[in-house]
Amino acid sequence: MKNLIKQYLDSRISRRQLLSGLGTLGVTAAAANSMAQSLAPFLPAAAADASADASSASRSIKGTGGALLVAQLKASGIEHIFFNPSSGAAPFFDALVDESGMHLIKALQEGALVAMADGYAKASGKTPFVICARPGFPNSMTQLYNVWKDEIPMVVAVDYVNRATLGEDGFEDADHLESIAHPITKWNWVAQSAEKIPEVTRRAFKFASTMPSGPVFLAYPEDILDDEAQAAVIDQAKFAVSMKVRPDPDLVEKAARMLLEAQSPLLYVGDEVARCGAQKDVVELAELLGVPVTRDGGTIGWSKSFPTQHPLYLGAALREMRYPAHVDVTLNLGSRLSYGERIQPGIKLIQVRMDPTNLARTAPTDVAIFGDLKFTTADLVAALRSMATADRLRQISQDRTAKTHEYTATMRKFRESLGRETWNHSPVSFERLGMELESALDKDACVIAESDSGRKMEDFMSFGGSDKQYFTTTGAALGWGLPAAFGVKLAHPDLQVVSVVGDGAFLFAGPQPLWSYARYKAPVTLIVCNNRSYNNERNRIWNVGGRQFQTGRDMTCYLGDPDIDYAKLASGFGVEGEIVAEPAQLKPALERAKRATADGRPYLLDVHIERNGIGAASTWHPPYSVADLRTRKV
Amino acid sequence: MRSNKGFGFRTHLWPLFALCFVAPIFVSPIWAQAPANALPAGTGKDLVAVACTQCHGLKLIMSLRDGPVGWRHFVNDMILRGAQLNPQEADTVAQYLAQNFGPGTSPMQSGLKSEPLPPGDGEKLVESHCALCHDLGRITTIARSKEEWNNTVGNMMARAGTNVATQDEILAMASYLAAHFGRKLS
């Protein structure tokens, strides 16, 4: 036994081999486990093989599975680990004790954890790593679904059941836990040995980050995180696949010709424009031909890929645009185009996507181009310039540009005047909130929005181009905005970051993210648009004209009674805040928030916002009391 | 005790019963639920048929009753949510809706059975004003606090436009409703 222990302490046998050897010597499994545990502090930490070249992209590392995971994450460029602890992953966290290059970011609920990482990924363009306990993993599913819908790269991992007891329906064991992630991940995998941990981790990062990107799920069995092994840790760059693919030139030429001959073209932009850094190229293309620009409506699309103040920008797409009328060619640049039915019969459709699965998925497509959005847009511009003289291009552009400028200027002025009409509404109107934010925020601020009714305020703000950055989520699984803003701030510590979420969305996130803001001193202005309602949900429900509409009874969406005090809630988590009950209080409150964040502290504004739409006036809700069910006062 | 005072909506805001044709792009497609030719004739019909059906159907527009101020609020809200109407067209649409779906034009039917209103001060006012837009079943089968009735009546009268009811009449209606169909706030 002494020899066995010596071999183990010298890292010549793994933990599993130790346990097996002790079993052979007649030691019970429980006693062997206990003995291995008591020996753990005397094990050497992961150490690079002395023979390895430190500057090499590949290093042979010896250590526990947890230590190998840490080493590979470092080689994969991970700086932040978004986590909630689990006992099964103890060897991983133990290995971080002596690792100063990575920072732990803790969230108190798994959904918030994934949303934080999502905000970080969207703002930084990096692939974050998330790890949580396996029974908590189902909590993360709502936000993982959002990540999937937005095609954001992310690796989400859990500690998994010890292989020796897997399938016994034992402690925290559910058969094939990994399969619950299947529909909303690009890949899911259970690591099979400590030696394999670096390899499967690299593969996970490769799959997650290769466009079209998306989340990947990994499970590391507890025993292999604890096992000793020697394995190669290799820089992630050795597995990077560039997807900066140039498009088929024949298709580009065909598309360019259609655009050139179009009488009333329309440009439809989506998130891949932002992902590929093609914003400037898209503006150039739009201006070259004077093409009006639109985007998917609602929460479809997480970015503003075209400057919203540009004279060619129309706003969200409609089924049959009144302006421009009689569209004959639509060019979709990087949008999911999930409202494919809005492409009317007879309109020629050109689509450019980085995601071949969703390219020509629903709408019949005349030219389907797979390619990087930046390259493809630049190639389209070059093709147009080669096919037509500068004079002809100017002639094509001039008239359309003038008409669109006139239309957008008229509508902008009209909306502005309508917004002004609500200036003194009390509770505060979304229009006023938008105008006040536009005036108070830095030009390059990041706005993280999650308010269905609140999209109206975006009419009064400037996004895209050299203006503010905008982030939201396509999935519409609420609870994203509050934690996501933390991730955006982590990615952009030198930019002003403001989260604007509805009270419904805030409550789906739960107050837990506030703890992370306070713990990590994340100076973000957190605005809760408190209208005590799932306002647009009620609107949609009543819109079908059912009994709630007919009888004027909101059975489902009123959130008052009790009325929640979000400033008080924030205080309980160590975040300063205040209530903004009247419109005149808004501007000074935003100034206080700005001072607090400049001082390095988060600040929450509980802004009392008006409800609007059908049934908005009603505060009635079905009366019911559990206390009244009692027959004795217990 | 808690209070809803000054919160959630004010009299210049939205009605209890008003149609939502907000959430324009984001609702389930129900464009086909009522044909455009079902709209009454009049200036603005074609605009409503085209501009308002981009995101929602006509069924609810035609089911709703609202005053000129209320309809104008809806039209403004739709424009802020993307409806493509210029200022003149917005005026035309709001006028068309108020003329064709305003108070007094075949009130909304809730299907709730209503007993006759109990006698009292304000009874006649309720009968003459509220029933212009909806049947009385919506009133007599639900209990609201005095504050809720104040808000509800005030809101509806504000949407109906000026000179529809005096402030005293509004208070009389709210008091009557609270007395006969009231509930205490918990």
Side-chain angles (χ1 to χ4, degrees):
Chain A
M1 183 184 296
K2 190 177 168 185
N3 189 40
L4 200 60
I5 291 171
K6 185 174 186 321
Q7 286 184 58
Y8 179 59
L9 291 177
D10 290 344
S11 301
R12 281 181 285 141
I13 60 170
S14 72
R15 186 178 192 273
R16 194 143 45 93
Q17 287 169 315
L18 171 72
L19 296 177
S20 169
L22 290 171
T24 309
L25 293 172
V27 179
T28 65
N33 263 314
S34 172
M35 195 179 292
Q37 204 167 345
S38 67
L39 292 171
F42 305 103
L43 283 168
D49 188 321
S51 64
D53 176 357
S55 65
S56 163
S58 175
R59 297 165 293 284
S60 180
I61 300 283
K62 186 190 284 183
T64 64
L68 293 172
L69 176 56
V70 168
Q72 183 56 56
L73 290 177
K74 197 171 180 184
S76 296
I78 291 298
E79 298 167 84
H80 300 99
I81 292 163
F82 297 88
F83 85 105
N84 191 270
S86 66
S87 50
F92 170 71
F93 294 109
D94 284 345
L96 286 166
V97 170
D98 298 315
E99 175 53 64
S100 59
M102 285 186 278
H103 306 285
L104 285 165
I105 301 292
K106 181 157 63 180
L108 305 187
Q109 200 263 5
E110 293 81 358
L113 192 60
V114 168
M116 265 185 192
D118 185 60
Y120 178 78
K122 281 172 175 161
S124 69
K126 296 176 181 173
T127 303
F129 179 76
V130 175
I131 187 164
C132 61
R134 60 182 177 272
F137 175 65
N139 271 336
S140 73
M141 297 298 281
T142 51
Q143 297 310 314
L144 196 60
Y145 160 77
N146 282 337
V147 175
W148 170 251
K149 290 294 283 182
D150 286 338
E151 299 185 331
I152 297 302
M154 185 181 297
V155 176
V156 179
V158 298
D159 63 320
Y160 207 53
V161 181
N162 188 313
R163 288 171 303 165
T165 61
L166 186 62
E168 293 179 1
D169 195 19
F171 179 64
E172 295 179 353
D173 184 8
D175 289 357
H176 303 296
L177 177 71
E178 74 280 8
S179 64
I180 70 170
H182 179 76
I184 53 172
T185 49
K186 283 183 74 178
W187 187 60
N188 62 82
W189 197 257
V190 180
Q192 297 299 311
S193 68
E195 293 87 341
K196 282 282 192 181
I197 284 178
E199 182 187 323
V200 298
T201 304
R202 290 192 297 272
R203 191 166 298 136
F205 275 94
K206 171 205 154 60
F207 287 158
S209 59
T210 305
M211 290 272 276
S213 50
V216 162
F217 176 77
L218 276 184
Y220 300 110
E222 292 175 357
D223 54 316
I224 74 162
L225 284 171
D226 203 27
D227 276 353
E228 284 275 323
Q230 181 141 4
V233 167
I234 308 174
D235 288 352
Q236 195 68 42
K238 295 290 179 187
F239 302 88
V241 178
S242 171
M243 293 299 284
K244 290 186 181 299
V245 179
R246 280 218 111 91
D248 180 337
D250 292 342
L251 294 178
V252 170
E253 189 182 329
K254 190 176 174 187
R257 195 163 301 284
M258 284 166 66
L259 287 169
L260 208 53
E261 290 167 0
Q263 297 303 305
S264 182
L266 181 66
L267 177 52
Y268 209 105
V269 294
D271 296 323
E272 284 179 357
V273 171
R275 283 298 305 276
C276 296
Q279 294 96 328
K280 284 183 182 170
D281 308 81
V282 172
V283 170
E284 185 185 352
L285 175 63
E287 289 176 350
L288 184 67
L289 293 176
V291 186
V293 181
T294 187
R295 66 177 289 271
D296 265 326
T299 60
I300 305 301
W302 56 263
S303 65
K304 302 274 192 199
S305 290
F306 196 86
T308 60
Q309 296 302 307
H310 194 287
L312 288 171
Y313 185 66
L314 302 173
L318 298 171
R319 187 168 58 105
E320 195 174 348
M321 308 287 279
R322 294 190 68 223
Y323 187 90
H326 313 299
V327 171
D328 54 356
V329 174
T330 292
L331 169 61
N332 169 33
L333 291 178
S335 166
R336 187 178 291 270
L337 207 66
S338 47
Y339 292 103
E341 77 276 14
R342 294 224 162 95
I343 304 298
Q344 298 293 299
I347 296 178
K348 289 176 182 164
L349 178 61
I350 306 163
Q351 297 207 63
V352 184
R353 293 293 312 265
M354 282 297 296
D355 176 0
T357 307
N358 282 319
L359 176 58
R361 179 173 179 140
T362 306
T365 303
D366 296 275
V367 184
I369 301 176
F370 172 74
D372 175 84
L373 269 291
K374 189 172 173 60
F375 283 156
T376 307
T377 309
D379 287 358
L380 274 171
V381 168
L384 287 164
R385 290 194 195 284
S386 73
M387 285 177 187
T389 62
D391 275 352
R392 187 180 169 206
L393 288 170
R394 200 175 304 115
Q395 203 177 7
I396 289 171
S397 167
Q398 253 172 0
D399 187 40
R400 276 205 295 255
T401 300
K403 279 183 186 162
T404 306
H405 281 207
E406 187 187 347
Y407 172 78
T408 54
T410 301
M411 291 307 290
R412 196 161 284 133
K413 197 173 160 193
F414 187 27
R415 285 194 294 266
E416 178 81 19
S417 73
L418 296 179
R420 287 278 162 198
E421 286 179 19
T422 73
W423 185 254
N424 292 318
H425 281 195
S426 178
V428 179
S429 68
F430 274 114
E431 292 88 329
R432 172 132 185 197
L433 179 58
M435 288 185 266
E436 295 276 17
L437 283 171
E438 179 67 8
S439 161
L441 297 185
D442 294 346
K443 190 173 166 61
D444 60 355
C446 297
V447 175
I448 292 80
E450 191 184 29
S451 170
D452 202 0
S453 303
R455 282 196 300 272
K456 214 166 39 161
M457 72 182 174
E458 294 164 15
D459 278 338
F460 305 95
M461 301 177 71
S462 315
F463 297 105
S466 59
D467 286 318
K468 290 176 278 299
Q469 294 186 61
Y470 176 91
F471 301 93
T472 188
T473 183
T474 294
L478 295 180
W480 172 86
L482 179 66
F486 179 100
V488 172
K489 186 67 181 177
L490 186 64
H492 291 312
D494 289 333
L495 295 181
Q496 191 180 41
V497 175
V498 178
S499 137
V500 187
V501 303
D503 50 347
F506 180 97
L507 293 168
F508 271 101
Q512 300 95 328
L514 294 169
W515 179 91
S516 302
Y517 279 100
R519 162 67 77 90
Y520 299 109
K521 299 176 180 59
V524 175
T525 298
L526 307 167
I527 296 176
V528 184
C529 301
N530 182 0
N531 59 10
R532 295 175 184 165
S533 176
Y534 298 137
N535 189 59
N536 250 15
E537 183 70 358
R538 185 196 64 256
N539 284 330
R540 282 186 289 263
I541 290 171
W542 286 37
N543 197 28
V544 297
R547 289 294 287 154
Q548 292 182 80
F549 166 75
Q550 291 162 2
T551 59
R553 295 182 185 188
D554 175 8
M555 301 294 288
T556 55
C557 291
Y558 183 60
L559 292 181
D561 190 17
D563 301 337
I564 298 166
D565 182 335
Y566 295 91
K568 201 179 275 183
L569 191 69
S571 174
F573 282 84
V575 173
E576 286 175 80
E578 61 181 285
I579 288 174
V580 180
E582 295 294 332
Q585 297 170 346
L586 189 53
K587 187 175 179 183
L590 284 168
E591 285 166 0
R592 283 189 285 278
K594 191 171 184 177
R595 283 196 293 275
T597 53
D599 286 347
R601 291 173 282 121
Y603 199 84
L604 183 142
L605 300 179
D606 175 352
V607 181
H608 290 186
I609 285 275
E610 69 178 1
R611 292 188 293 278
N612 57 19
I614 191 165
S618 179
T619 54
W620 179 89
H621 56 91
Y624 196 65
S625 162
V626 175
D628 290 349
L629 300 177
R630 299 172 304 168
T631 55
R632 59 196 185 105
K633 293 194 173 180
V634 289
Chain B
M1 282 292 283
R2 59 157 177 72
S3 168
N4 285 322
K5 190 178 178 186
F7 194 97
F9 93 108
R10 289 277 289 270
T11 54
H12 56 274
L13 300 181
W14 308 104
L16 164 67
F17 56 89
L19 163 67
C20 164
F21 44 115
V22 299
I25 298 149
F26 329 114
V27 295
S28 303
I30 49 173
W31 301 296
Q33 57 175 258
N37 60 15
L39 286 167
T43 307
K45 175 186 172 181
D46 293 343
L47 278 173
V48 170
V50 174
C52 301
T53 57
Q54 297 294 315
C55 307
H56 56 78
L58 293 171
K59 179 181 164 188
L60 289 194
I61 290 181
M62 296 170 68
S63 304
L64 178 70
R65 297 297 172 265
D66 206 350
V69 175
W71 279 118
R72 184 71 220 201
H73 281 164
F74 277 128
V75 172
N76 289 355
D77 198 46
M78 291 303 98
I79 289 161
L80 291 174
R81 290 169 183 273
Q84 292 186 310
L85 290 169
N86 67 29
Q88 293 74 35
E89 291 170 334
D91 289 344
T92 304
V93 166
Q95 282 162 18
Y96 172 85
L97 294 170
Q99 278 165 12
N100 291 284
F101 307 110
T105 52
S106 54
M108 299 169 68
Q109 298 300 309
S110 67
L112 297 166
K113 194 176 175 189
S114 175
E115 299 296 324
L117 290 176
D121 290 344
E123 172 204 350
K124 297 298 176 198
L125 283 170
V126 167
E127 222 165 43
S128 61
H129 286 74
C130 304
L132 287 174
C133 288
H134 55 79
D135 64 25
L136 296 178
R138 292 173 70 111
I139 294 174
T140 59
T141 57
I142 195 167
R144 298 181 195 276
S145 71
K146 184 168 186 184
E147 190 177 2
E148 287 169 336
W149 280 122
N150 278 338
N151 283 341
T152 302
V153 176
N155 175 50
M156 291 186 179
M157 293 305 124
R159 297 180 71 88
T162 51
N163 304 323
V164 172
T166 65
Q167 197 56 34
D168 285 347
E169 288 173 330
I170 291 170
L171 286 173
M173 283 189 272
S175 298
Y176 169 83
L177 292 166
H180 295 282
F181 309 104
R183 74 171 175 99
K184 286 183 180 172
L185 291 174
S186 54

PDB file of all heavy atoms in Angstrom, chain A residues 335-346:
ATOM      1  N   SER A 335     -29.479  38.890 -42.552  1.00  0.00           N
ATOM      2  CA  SER A 335     -30.615  38.802 -41.623  1.00  0.00           C
ATOM      3  C   SER A 335     -31.199  37.399 -41.651  1.00  0.00           C
ATOM      4  O   SER A 335     -31.199  36.732 -42.688  1.00  0.00           O
ATOM      5  CB  SER A 335     -31.702  39.806 -42.015  1.00  0.00           C
ATOM      6  OG  SER A 335     -32.897  39.493 -41.338  1.00  0.00           O
ATOM      7  N   ARG A 336     -31.733  37.007 -40.518  1.00  0.00           N
ATOM      8  CA  ARG A 336     -32.411  35.709 -40.430  1.00  0.00           C
ATOM      9  C   ARG A 336     -33.616  35.677 -41.363  1.00  0.00           C
ATOM     10  O   ARG A 336     -34.053  34.628 -41.782  1.00  0.00           O
ATOM     11  CB  ARG A 336     -32.854  35.500 -38.986  1.00  0.00           C
ATOM     12  CG  ARG A 336     -33.431  34.159 -38.668  1.00  0.00           C
ATOM     13  CD  ARG A 336     -33.789  34.087 -37.196  1.00  0.00           C
ATOM     14  NE  ARG A 336     -32.601  34.086 -36.359  1.00  0.00           N
ATOM     15  CZ  ARG A 336     -31.968  32.981 -35.977  1.00  0.00           C
ATOM     16  NH1 ARG A 336     -32.422  31.821 -36.341  1.00  0.00           N
ATOM     17  NH2 ARG A 336     -30.904  33.040 -35.219  1.00  0.00           N
ATOM     18  N   LEU A 337     -34.158  36.861 -41.633  1.00  0.00           N
ATOM     19  CA  LEU A 337     -35.338  36.996 -42.494  1.00  0.00           C
ATOM     20  C   LEU A 337     -36.436  36.048 -42.022  1.00  0.00           C
ATOM     21  O   LEU A 337     -37.014  35.289 -42.797  1.00  0.00           O
ATOM     22  CB  LEU A 337     -34.964  36.701 -43.957  1.00  0.00           C
ATOM     23  CG  LEU A 337     -35.833  37.373 -45.026  1.00  0.00           C
ATOM     24  CD1 LEU A 337     -35.671  38.885 -44.996  1.00  0.00           C
ATOM     25  CD2 LEU A 337     -35.486  36.859 -46.401  1.00  0.00           C
ATOM     26  N   SER A 338     -36.678  36.105 -40.735  1.00  0.00           N
ATOM     27  CA  SER A 338     -37.610  35.128 -40.168  1.00  0.00           C
ATOM     28  C   SER A 338     -39.049  35.412 -40.554  1.00  0.00           C
ATOM     29  O   SER A 338     -39.909  34.580 -40.355  1.00  0.00           O
ATOM     30  CB  SER A 338     -37.459  35.075 -38.665  1.00  0.00           C
ATOM     31  OG  SER A 338     -37.437  36.362 -38.143  1.00  0.00           O
ATOM     32  N   TYR A 339     -39.284  36.606 -41.037  1.00  0.00           N
ATOM     33  CA  TYR A 339     -40.618  36.867 -41.571  1.00  0.00           C
ATOM     34  C   TYR A 339     -40.556  36.705 -43.086  1.00  0.00           C
ATOM     35  O   TYR A 339     -40.824  37.635 -43.834  1.00  0.00           O
ATOM     36  CB  TYR A 339     -41.087  38.263 -41.183  1.00  0.00           C
ATOM     37  CG  TYR A 339     -41.349  38.396 -39.713  1.00  0.00           C
ATOM     38  CD1 TYR A 339     -40.452  39.032 -38.868  1.00  0.00           C
ATOM     39  CD2 TYR A 339     -42.504  37.859 -39.160  1.00  0.00           C
ATOM     40  CE1 TYR A 339     -40.701  39.144 -37.512  1.00  0.00           C
ATOM     41  CE2 TYR A 339     -42.765  37.962 -37.804  1.00  0.00           C
ATOM     42  CZ  TYR A 339     -41.853  38.609 -36.987  1.00  0.00           C
ATOM     43  OH  TYR A 339     -42.104  38.709 -35.657  1.00  0.00           O
ATOM     44  N   GLY A 340     -40.170  35.514 -43.506  1.00  0.00           N
ATOM     45  CA  GLY A 340     -39.993  35.256 -44.927  1.00  0.00           C
ATOM     46  C   GLY A 340     -41.257  35.502 -45.730  1.00  0.00           C
ATOM     47  O   GLY A 340     -41.219  35.869 -46.906  1.00  0.00           O
ATOM     48  N   GLU A 341     -42.392  35.325 -45.045  1.00  0.00           N
ATOM     49  CA  GLU A 341     -43.657  35.509 -45.753  1.00  0.00           C
ATOM     50  C   GLU A 341     -43.874  36.962 -46.143  1.00  0.00           C
ATOM     51  O   GLU A 341     -44.763  37.287 -46.906  1.00  0.00           O
ATOM     52  CB  GLU A 341     -44.829  34.999 -44.895  1.00  0.00           C
ATOM     53  CG  GLU A 341     -45.255  35.917 -43.767  1.00  0.00           C
ATOM     54  CD  GLU A 341     -44.438  35.753 -42.503  1.00  0.00           C
ATOM     55  OE1 GLU A 341     -43.364  35.122 -42.552  1.00  0.00           O
ATOM     56  OE2 GLU A 341     -44.860  36.263 -41.459  1.00  0.00           O
ATOM     57  N   ARG A 342     -43.036  37.843 -45.574  1.00  0.00           N
ATOM     58  CA  ARG A 342     -43.203  39.258 -45.907  1.00  0.00           C
ATOM     59  C   ARG A 342     -42.595  39.605 -47.263  1.00  0.00           C
ATOM     60  O   ARG A 342     -42.763  40.713 -47.745  1.00  0.00           O
ATOM     61  CB  ARG A 342     -42.563  40.128 -44.813  1.00  0.00           C
ATOM     62  CG  ARG A 342     -43.284  39.984 -43.495  1.00  0.00           C
ATOM     63  CD  ARG A 342     -43.491  41.327 -42.823  1.00  0.00           C
ATOM     64  NE  ARG A 342     -44.523  41.217 -41.815  1.00  0.00           N
ATOM     65  CZ  ARG A 342     -44.290  41.001 -40.531  1.00  0.00           C
ATOM     66  NH1 ARG A 342     -43.068  40.900 -40.111  1.00  0.00           N
ATOM     67  NH2 ARG A 342     -45.282  40.898 -39.679  1.00  0.00           N
ATOM     68  N   ILE A 343     -41.838  38.671 -47.814  1.00  0.00           N
ATOM     69  CA  ILE A 343     -41.333  38.918 -49.154  1.00  0.00           C
ATOM     70  C   ILE A 343     -42.471  38.580 -50.120  1.00  0.00           C
ATOM     71  O   ILE A 343     -42.811  37.423 -50.318  1.00  0.00           O
ATOM     72  CB  ILE A 343     -40.086  38.048 -49.457  1.00  0.00           C
ATOM     73  CG1 ILE A 343     -38.997  38.284 -48.400  1.00  0.00           C
ATOM     74  CG2 ILE A 343     -39.564  38.335 -50.853  1.00  0.00           C
ATOM     75  CD1 ILE A 343     -38.470  39.702 -48.331  1.00  0.00           C
ATOM     76  N   GLN A 344     -43.048  39.595 -50.650  1.00  0.00           N
ATOM     77  CA  GLN A 344     -44.236  39.427 -51.484  1.00  0.00           C
ATOM     78  C   GLN A 344     -43.904  38.694 -52.788  1.00  0.00           C
ATOM     79  O   GLN A 344     -42.806  38.862 -53.339  1.00  0.00           O
ATOM     80  CB  GLN A 344     -44.824  40.799 -51.817  1.00  0.00           C
ATOM     81  CG  GLN A 344     -45.285  41.564 -50.595  1.00  0.00           C
ATOM     82  CD  GLN A 344     -46.471  40.906 -49.913  1.00  0.00           C
ATOM     83  OE1 GLN A 344     -47.528  40.764 -50.504  1.00  0.00           O
ATOM     84  NE2 GLN A 344     -46.290  40.472 -48.683  1.00  0.00           N
ATOM     85  N   PRO A 345     -44.868  37.916 -53.286  1.00  0.00           N
ATOM     86  CA  PRO A 345     -44.649  37.243 -54.572  1.00  0.00           C
ATOM     87  C   PRO A 345     -44.328  38.289 -55.646  1.00  0.00           C
ATOM     88  O   PRO A 345     -44.908  39.369 -55.653  1.00  0.00           O
ATOM     89  CB  PRO A 345     -46.007  36.576 -54.857  1.00  0.00           C
ATOM     90  CG  PRO A 345     -46.693  36.498 -53.541  1.00  0.00           C
ATOM     91  CD  PRO A 345     -46.185  37.627 -52.709  1.00  0.00           C
ATOM     92  N   GLY A 346     -43.396  37.940 -56.494  1.00  0.00           N
ATOM     93  CA  GLY A 346     -43.035  38.867 -57.561  1.00  0.00           C
ATOM     94  C   GLY A 346     -41.808  39.691 -57.238  1.00  0.00           C
ATOM     95  O   GLY A 346     -41.188  40.273 -58.119  1.00  0.00           O
TER      96      GLY A 346
END
